[in-house]
Every structure is written in structure tokens, then in C-alpha cells.
Amino acid sequence: MQKKICIITQSHLCRNPRVLKEATTLATAGYDVHILTGIISEDLYRQDLLAIGSFANIKLQLISNVSASTLNSFTDKLLSKIGRVLVRNFKIENSLALGYGAMRYYNKAKAAKANLYICHQELATYIGTRLLNEGYKVAFDFEDWYSEDLLPEARAERPISLLQRIEAIALNKGSCCITTSNALANQLSKVYLCPQPKVIYNVFPSPGFIHNKIKKFSTPLKLFWFSQTIGPGRGLEQFINVLSTLKTGIELHLLGNITTDYREILTTLMPTQYGLYFHPLVDENQLAAKIAGFDIGLALELDTPPSRNYTITNKFFQYIQSGLPVIASETEGQDEAFDKFKPGFKLAQQPSAQQINELDRWLSNPVELQLAQQQAIEAAAFYNWENESKKLLQLVNNALGE
């Protein structure tokens, strides 16, 4: 009999490639995959359905849909707001503050009658700990360190103690725990005195068009950074400050949604001798080809909060898999990914004048750039979903006792 795996998440599949890769890999391996999730956009939901459309054994069940004008949507928004107000104003920690539809997820999860549940993100982790108490087999995927994931101003509405409590339960009692880097796995193990979670990197399937052809770099060099949202706290302002002392000609290209105010801030900060260009979001299946059209990828990240310090930004992996050398911010997580192949230049959080000069020399040296590109291609042969998916399947087999 085909075994059922229920994946619990709270975000769009097209905006969370980790969940999507997991679901399609398990479906390809013959499992019946049931996904519980919520949506905030009908357009993104259509992309979700397209992403899993060829898999008859993947079922997507919506627990919340706040894009709709319905009583459920109104209620979900109201309860979520109440939950956050209770945390912020009265220090009453509760699961309502973790996401929409919190009260329905548990019942729908139990009704799925799965052989194994895999929980992603904060609300799903809470649901998973409740399922554990009922004797279900539950695995947890720590995409981030949830209780240490936000900047101080955003933590006021977060039930931090609740998150810490469910993290401790999940890490010590889950059938299997997975995370995104050895750096984060080590830290979680130390803090929660738990077995070290297994590591599955946030990598992607090899795009197929990358080969060993020497790249011809542009003049000026086209530096590229992307995210769903272009905003503060991501290292962009700090990097633009570094650019102000460089002599090498560059263009800075940013892809993602951006507010008018923040666009004006970046435009004002940018040295006038360099070009600053903004690009709209593209579909996930077009991103690798888009990245490949630039010269160097920017894996910028601050070392605060702790979650960002210990994780590895998806960007790093997507750049190397599109054949780009990388300028990577120095964090515990990115050191782990970068140091194995050194596919570019690693930049300190507070770079010295000497290091900025070294960066300038590196950017102006075509031989060094071509060497970094070759090292990026070598890194991509190691960091890819073809390799990581085998680890996932083995972990799921072990959790199911197969």
C-alpha cells in the first residue's frame, strides 16, 4: 500500500522551493504526498498548481486563503491580529500569532492520516508538536532558527518563548530533524541539548546549460542580487558603501519587489559613477537563466540575527548553479559553503581598507574572475539537488522504518 506523507507549511510552493523540491522528490519516489498550506494570492496559487500539475500523487489542500473576501478569510486575519496584539501588548504567547488558520491546521492534519508528517516553518512546527503528543510520526525541517530569526523591532509580536518551547520538543522528540547547514545544526544541538539535525542544503536541480566554457565578463561588470523583496537589513546598504571606494567599473542589478521609498534610499546611496538597475520578479523556472546573464552574484547577508548568521542564503547556491562567481558576506553559514571551493571573494562584515583594495584588484583581474567561475562550476557539481535529494529519501525511509 502506498504510504502517505503529509507536508505542513504556511507559504506558497512557488515561493518556497525547499518545500516544492521535497514534495516532488517524494512523489517521484512513489509516496502519496498531501500538502497542507495557506495562500495570500490567487496568482501565486495558480503558480503553485502549475508547479505540481504533472504529479497525480500530490494533493494540495488549502487551510487558509486570505486573498479571498470570505468569512473564513476575515476571521483568519482578525484572529492573527488578536494573537499578535496579545503578544505585543500583554505578553500572552499564543499560536494565533504564528500564522493564519492556526486553529484548523491541527484537525486537517489529523484527518490526513499520514504515515509521516513533515513540518516546515513556525506554525507547522507548533502543529507538529501537538501531533507528536498524539503519537504520530513527525519530522521537522528547520528552514531557519525560528526563535532567533527576526530583528528586534519585529520580535515584539513574536511568541518567542512559545517558539523556543516547540523547538525544544521538535528537536528532541521528532522522528527526524533536518536543517540547512552544519553551522545551524551544531548551534541548535548546543542550545537545545539535542541530537544534531541532519543537513540538507537549500540547493536546486542542475539547470543543464552550465558547462566549462570560459565566461566573457562584461565591461563594466554586472553585479547581481535578488530576493522576493528588496529591503533593509539584507546587507545592500553596507555593500553600496564599499562600492564608493572601488575604482573598477561596475553596475549593480537588483531583482525583486521594492517600495518607492527604499528605491530612493538606494539610489541616493549609490555612487554616481556606477549604474543601479532594478528588475521585476521572474517565475522560478526562469530565474537560473536570468542569473546567468550577469557576471557576479552577491550573496550578501548580515550576521544578525543569529538565524541569518548560521544559515546559508539560497542565493549562494543559485549563483554557482548558474555559473557565476560569488561575492559572499562572511557568516558562520556562508563560511561553510564558501570555504570548500572558494568560488569568488569572501567579504568581512566590516571590511578593512586593505580588504576593499583586495576586492578592487580581484574585480579588475580577468584571470582571477575566470578561475572563480571554474570553482563555482565545481561547487555546483557538489551542491545540487541531485545529491541532496538522495539524503532526503534516505532520511524519510529511516523515519518510516523502511
Side-chain angles (χ1 to χ4, degrees):
M1 187 176 182
Q2 197 174 44
K3 290 197 173 180
K4 178 187 281 191
I5 297 175
C6 180
I7 298 173
I8 308 175
T9 181
Q10 60 193 100
S11 62
H12 285 277
L13 300 184
C14 65
R15 292 294 182 254
N16 190 337
R18 188 172 178 90
V19 173
L20 178 59
K21 288 176 297 182
E22 181 180 282
T24 55
T25 296
L26 293 171
T28 301
Y31 293 105
D32 179 13
V33 179
H34 192 99
I35 304 173
L36 303 181
T37 190
I39 68 169
I40 59 172
S41 160
E42 289 291 342
D43 180 57
L44 294 179
Y45 180 49
R46 285 189 287 272
Q47 294 182 44
D48 294 342
L49 295 177
L50 284 173
I52 59 173
S54 60
F55 293 91
N57 55 336
I58 297 181
K59 179 183 177 183
L60 187 61
Q61 182 178 1
L62 297 186
I63 306 302
S64 68
N65 177 5
V66 295
S67 70
S69 298
T70 64
L71 179 60
N72 266 350
S73 174
F74 174 80
T75 303
D76 285 345
K77 291 176 184 176
L78 178 62
L79 290 176
S80 176
K81 184 174 182 179
I82 290 171
R84 287 181 276 114
V85 168
L86 289 173
V87 175
R88 185 182 65 244
N89 295 344
F90 303 100
K91 310 304 178 189
I92 300 174
E93 304 220 345
N94 62 92
S95 62
L96 297 176
L98 296 177
Y100 300 117
M103 300 175 73
R104 293 194 299 277
Y105 265 96
Y106 177 64
N107 290 333
K108 297 297 183 181
K110 286 182 66 174
K113 293 182 167 57
N115 301 98
L116 176 68
Y117 294 84
I118 304 178
C119 299
H120 290 256
Q121 302 157 317
E122 298 95 328
L123 179 56
T125 302
Y126 170 77
I127 300 302
T129 59
R130 291 188 62 187
L131 292 169
L132 278 177
N133 288 335
E134 295 290 326
Y136 292 94
K137 283 188 177 181
V138 186
F140 297 87
D141 191 333
F142 283 78
E143 299 182 18
D144 294 293
W145 188 354
Y146 307 127
S147 63
E148 298 286 353
D149 190 34
L150 294 178
L151 297 171
E153 60 270 19
R155 290 170 65 87
E157 294 185 342
R158 298 274 281 177
I160 303 299
S161 295
L162 173 61
L163 287 169
Q164 291 170 338
R165 187 165 67 250
I166 63 176
E167 285 173 345
I169 294 169
L171 288 161
N172 282 283
K173 296 183 178 180
S175 298
C176 170
C177 286
I178 302 167
T179 192
T180 58
S181 72
N182 287 299
L184 182 53
N186 290 335
Q187 194 66 15
L188 290 171
S189 180
K190 288 178 185 177
V191 170
Y192 289 109
L193 303 177
C194 63
Q196 190 163 309
K198 306 301 181 184
V199 174
I200 294 179
Y201 289 116
N202 270 338
V203 294
F204 298 82
S206 300
F209 57 78
I210 303 303
H211 45 74
N212 290 319
K213 181 180 178 182
I214 295 175
K215 181 181 180 69
K216 183 176 180 182
F217 290 89
S218 308
T219 303
L221 289 169
K222 299 180 186 297
L223 277 53
F224 181 70
W225 183 95
F226 73 97
S227 185
Q228 295 298 318
T229 301
I230 304 171
R234 309 301 302 277
L236 288 172
E237 302 96 323
Q238 291 83 349
F239 185 72
I240 289 175
N241 287 335
V242 168
L243 292 182
S244 65
T245 62
L246 299 183
K247 299 180 178 64
T248 306
I250 64 100
E251 295 175 355
L252 180 57
H253 293 258
L254 307 177
L255 181 148
N257 293 319
I258 186 169
T259 64
T260 302
D261 287 348
Y262 191 64
R263 181 173 180 146
E264 182 62 30
I265 289 171
L266 294 184
T267 302
T268 303
L269 284 175
M270 191 71 180
T272 55
Q273 67 268 34
Y274 299 127
L276 177 60
Y277 302 91
F278 297 92
H279 301 259
L281 287 171
V282 298
D283 288 345
E284 190 68 34
N285 59 4
Q286 299 173 341
L287 184 58
K290 179 77 172 179
I291 292 171
F294 298 92
D295 295 309
I296 298 170
L298 299 175
L300 306 177
E301 202 61 85
L302 301 180
D303 58 1
T304 55
S307 182
R308 289 189 184 172
N309 187 37
Y310 292 108
T311 53
I312 307 168
T313 179
N314 293 0
K315 301 174 185 62
F316 175 87
F317 298 120
Q318 288 179 292
Y319 295 143
I320 62 173
Q321 286 183 306
S322 292
L324 265 61
V326 178
I327 296 174
S329 301
E330 189 171 14
T331 67
E332 294 283 343
Q334 298 208 147
D335 286 353
E336 175 185 329
F338 186 93
D339 290 351
K340 190 175 184 68
F341 294 95
K342 297 181 173 59
F345 192 96
K346 189 163 64 173
L347 194 63
Q349 290 289 324
Q350 303 290 335
S352 64
Q354 179 181 345
Q355 191 185 39
I356 293 172
N357 287 335
E358 290 170 359
L359 173 62
D360 203 7
R361 287 194 295 271
W362 181 77
L363 289 168
S364 64
N365 189 327
V367 174
E368 288 292 321
L369 293 178
Q370 288 167 1
L371 175 61
Q373 187 214 5
Q374 290 303 316
Q375 290 166 325
I377 291 170
E378 290 176 19
F382 178 82
Y383 293 120
N384 58 57
W385 187 244
E386 288 79 6
N387 290 335
E388 296 301 291
S389 63
K390 296 172 187 174
K391 291 158 61 174
L392 171 67
L393 291 173
Q394 187 60 58
L395 290 171
V396 168
N397 288 344
N398 293 344
L400 287 168
E402 296 180 343

